[in-house]
Amino acid sequence: MSSTKYSNLTREQLLDHIEKLEAQISNTTNAQNDSDSSELKHKKKHQREQKSRPFDMSKYTKRKIALQVAYIGWNYCGYASQNKPETIPTIEDMLFKALISCRLVEDIDKSDYSRCGRTDKGVSGLGQVIALNVRSKKLQSDPSTDLLPSDKEFPYVDTLNRMLPPDIRVLSWAPVQDDFSARFHCTGRTYKYFFPRNKMNIENMRKACTYFEGPNDFRNFCKLDPSKNVLSYERIIMSMKINPVQYTQTVGVGEGSEFYEVELKGTAFLWHQVRFMMSVLFLVGQGLETPEIVRDLLDIEKVPAKPDFPMASDLPLVLYDCEFKGLKWTYSFRDNQYDPLPSSFRTYLHYNEEWTIQMIRTLTCQNYLTKVAKFPVVMPDKSIKTVEEFSEERSVVNSSGVANIVLGGGKDIRMNKYKPVLQRPRCDTDELKKSKFEVRKKRKLDRQQQEEEGDKNTPQVETS
């Protein structure tokens, strides 16, 4: 073995030399790490500075568009914003948040926003339409006066859906004129209301629907709000039909378990109008009222004020469609060319997942229902029947006069002795409500004026 400069070193000297070499390597590595760390920190700082720069909306042009919005309203306090998104969440609150987060809008109040309609708490919508001015992909520096075609514009549908919760989706968008109003340019609104047949007489309900059709005064089928100062309660119901719900196979699950839907189309609707209409329709279906009760309640001379009857449930009600003339909807980013994963298909997959989840929940409850339906019940003659047989034999009004009044959505109320609608206590007429409102309003203004005058007459005490 050839000699080296380490050959004559003792073991202790070699170990000492190794320690010195390791220390040198460690110092070099630490210095390199410090340098890399400093460079990384500088890079992150630069990225933060870039992110913190305010977005310059003025670089872009604006355009007015309509958006078709679908939502499941069960977890929201209605569609219209109450300006309290933390405590009173609404569909509109979620839409506004997404529009601002996507930098499509800076200020909703300055966007010329309009909506086709406002739905109640718990009510869903498949065809809600809104309109507003949003940011366009076209820059202000672009000398062209033309708007961008749909396939060159921002992917509004995809952009918003990435920011929205699972129970709200934008389905499509359409370019509109600057004077377009989602509310006033709508030519027709269609609602659907789903219900199980139970013991309902569907033919009697269909006859009652015919009385609703046409122009009528619906003040006895809505909630009167004198603060709104509604001048006319006449609305036009273009059609109102009852049909079996497609794609459901619930026959045999229980008595009257097959589902039907009421589909009604009108030009516009009053506050809670559809739910009050459904409440009376259920009374007709149960045989507690004749179909002509609808005709009587629409006769304002005969019934000038609404009798006391409750609203139907919000759960089964859907704003199904809103119609407009001349709108060309864009459902995917590039509708005019092949896309292996178009926006509309992604929306379909999303609702397929939601449907699967809800169907699994439905099947779970259905298994519970059919199992309990086989439990034994003792009859007055000591014979034994199943719960299902017991349910089938029960009448709407039992021998003691107690009636179970259907409200839809699986809800009902018990009435110890059913009183026909026309014999019930009446609410105040519209005129009386407005008169009382004006009196309250004047009292409030007088009280405020007195308080202001009292403040002026109170001597001011100087304090040092």
Side-chain angles (χ1 to χ4, degrees):
M1 182 182 291
S2 60
S3 63
T4 66
K5 60 181 180 178
Y6 302 112
S7 301
N8 299 323
L9 295 179
T10 64
R11 183 174 183 278
E12 288 74 14
Q13 290 173 327
L14 284 171
L15 292 173
D16 182 58
H17 189 67
I18 290 171
E19 288 180 1
K20 290 178 181 179
L21 289 173
E22 288 179 343
Q24 289 177 1
I25 293 171
S26 178
N27 290 336
T28 302
T29 302
N30 290 337
Q32 182 64 42
N33 289 341
D34 290 342
S35 176
D36 292 344
S37 178
S38 176
E39 184 178 346
L40 182 62
K41 288 179 180 178
H42 178 74
K43 185 176 181 180
K44 287 183 177 180
K45 181 181 178 183
H46 180 66
Q47 289 175 344
R48 284 196 301 269
E49 288 175 351
Q50 283 187 324
K51 287 182 180 179
S52 63
R53 291 176 187 170
F55 183 81
D56 189 359
M57 189 78 88
S58 64
K59 289 183 179 180
Y60 300 87
T61 60
K62 293 181 181 179
R63 69 182 302 169
K64 194 163 192 180
I65 66 170
L67 294 170
Q68 190 177 37
V69 182
Y71 53 90
I72 298 172
W74 308 332
N75 297 322
Y76 295 93
C77 300
Y79 177 82
S81 175
Q82 306 297 317
N83 296 316
K84 296 179 180 178
E86 299 301 326
T87 55
I88 310 178
T90 67
I91 309 297
E92 235 172 29
D93 290 328
M94 300 296 105
L95 284 170
F96 292 166
K97 182 179 179 181
L99 285 161
I100 292 172
S101 298
C102 294
R103 310 288 193 183
L104 295 179
V105 174
E106 278 187 309
D107 187 344
I108 295 294
D109 294 332
K110 296 179 181 178
S111 66
D112 195 24
Y113 172 83
S114 62
R115 57 176 173 257
C116 186
R118 51 191 299 162
T119 50
D120 300 337
K121 177 181 179 182
V123 176
S124 299
L126 182 58
Q128 176 71 273
V129 172
I130 65 173
L132 74 168
N133 290 312
V134 296
R135 176 168 63 102
S136 171
K137 199 173 183 180
K138 179 182 175 183
L139 297 173
Q140 290 282 7
S141 57
D142 189 334
S144 172
T145 58
D146 297 331
L147 296 171
L148 291 178
S150 299
D151 61 343
K152 302 294 183 183
E153 192 50 274
F154 277 125
Y156 292 118
V157 173
D158 291 322
T159 301
L160 287 167
N161 283 342
R162 280 193 289 268
M163 303 300 294
L164 287 167
D167 47 11
I168 304 175
R169 278 293 176 272
V170 173
L171 301 181
S172 59
W173 75 276
V176 295
Q177 298 295 323
D178 289 340
D179 63 349
F180 178 84
S181 168
R183 178 184 178 188
F184 295 111
H185 284 82
C186 180
T187 59
R189 297 167 173 87
T190 300
Y191 281 89
K192 284 192 175 186
Y193 197 100
F194 304 102
F195 67 95
R197 182 177 61 81
N198 290 333
K199 299 179 185 294
M200 302 282 185
N201 185 319
I202 301 299
E203 291 308 313
N204 280 355
M205 294 176 73
R206 284 174 173 153
K207 184 177 180 181
C209 286
T210 63
Y211 293 118
F212 280 121
E213 293 178 336
N216 286 292
D217 189 311
F218 284 92
R219 70 185 63 201
N220 290 333
F221 289 94
C222 72
K223 185 172 182 178
L224 301 179
D225 185 354
S227 67
K228 304 293 184 185
N229 195 29
V230 177
L231 300 179
S232 174
Y233 291 94
E234 184 174 293
R235 297 294 185 270
I236 299 174
I237 300 298
M238 302 174 185
S239 63
M240 189 170 183
K241 310 295 181 185
I242 302 179
N243 294 306
V245 175
Q246 291 184 324
Y247 314 123
T248 58
Q249 297 180 0
T250 56
V251 177
V253 173
E255 187 217 358
S257 57
E258 58 270 32
F259 267 79
Y260 285 78
E261 64 181 23
V262 174
E263 181 178 302
L264 64 160
K265 179 180 177 181
T267 53
F269 293 86
L270 297 163
W271 190 17
H272 296 324
Q273 180 183 334
V274 177
R275 292 169 64 188
F276 277 119
M277 291 169 67
M278 287 304 309
S279 179
V280 172
L281 206 58
F282 285 147
L283 294 177
V284 172
Q286 290 186 276
L288 297 170
E289 301 285 347
T290 66
E292 286 67 37
I293 184 62
V294 173
R295 182 185 61 192
D296 292 339
L297 288 171
L298 291 171
D299 186 343
I300 304 307
E301 292 186 1
K302 183 175 183 178
V303 187
K306 176 182 170 296
D308 182 24
F309 61 88
M311 284 192 297
S313 168
D314 51 63
L315 179 68
L317 183 57
V318 178
L319 175 57
Y320 184 73
D321 191 27
C322 297
E323 297 178 16
F324 297 85
K325 292 181 179 178
L327 291 192
K328 185 179 180 182
W329 295 104
T330 295
Y331 299 93
S332 296
F333 181 36
R334 291 186 172 89
D335 275 352
N336 58 354
Q337 65 186 53
Y338 174 73
D339 183 348
L341 194 63
S343 307
S344 53
F345 181 61
R346 283 196 289 272
T347 303
Y348 173 82
L349 291 177
H350 171 78
Y351 280 121
N352 182 268
E353 179 183 354
E354 294 295 311
W355 172 80
T356 301
I357 292 170
Q358 297 300 334
M359 277 301 296
I360 291 171
R361 289 173 175 162
T362 297
L363 291 172
T364 301
C365 292
Q366 183 172 305
N367 274 273
Y368 294 0
L369 176 67
T370 53
K371 183 178 180 66
V372 174
K374 304 305 179 186
F375 286 3
V377 175
V378 178
M379 304 303 291
D381 60 358
K382 302 302 181 181
S383 62
I384 303 296
K385 293 192 175 181
T386 65
V387 170
E388 185 175 2
E389 292 170 336
F390 178 74
S391 175
E392 290 174 357
E393 292 183 4
R394 292 189 73 195
S395 59
V396 174
V397 181
N398 66 19
S399 57
S400 302
V402 178
N404 285 317
I405 312 300
V406 172
L407 296 180
K411 296 180 180 179
D412 58 25
I413 56 173
R414 290 170 62 86
M415 187 174 287
N416 289 332
K417 183 174 178 57
Y418 183 78
K419 180 179 286 189
V421 169
L422 295 184
Q423 297 177 20
R424 299 183 191 182
R426 306 287 174 85
C427 302
D428 290 340
T429 63
D430 179 53
E431 293 77 10
L432 184 56
K433 277 182 175 286
K434 288 176 178 175
S435 175
K436 288 183 177 180
F437 175 75
E438 290 300 324
V439 171
R440 292 195 302 271
K441 185 177 177 181
K442 187 176 184 305
R443 284 177 185 166
K444 184 177 179 180
L445 290 173
D446 290 343
R447 188 163 55 249
Q448 289 176 347
Q449 188 175 358
Q450 291 174 0
E451 290 174 354
E452 289 174 359
E453 290 176 353
D455 292 339
K456 290 179 182 178
N457 295 331
T458 301
Q460 301 295 315
V461 179
E462 294 185 4
T463 58
S464 57

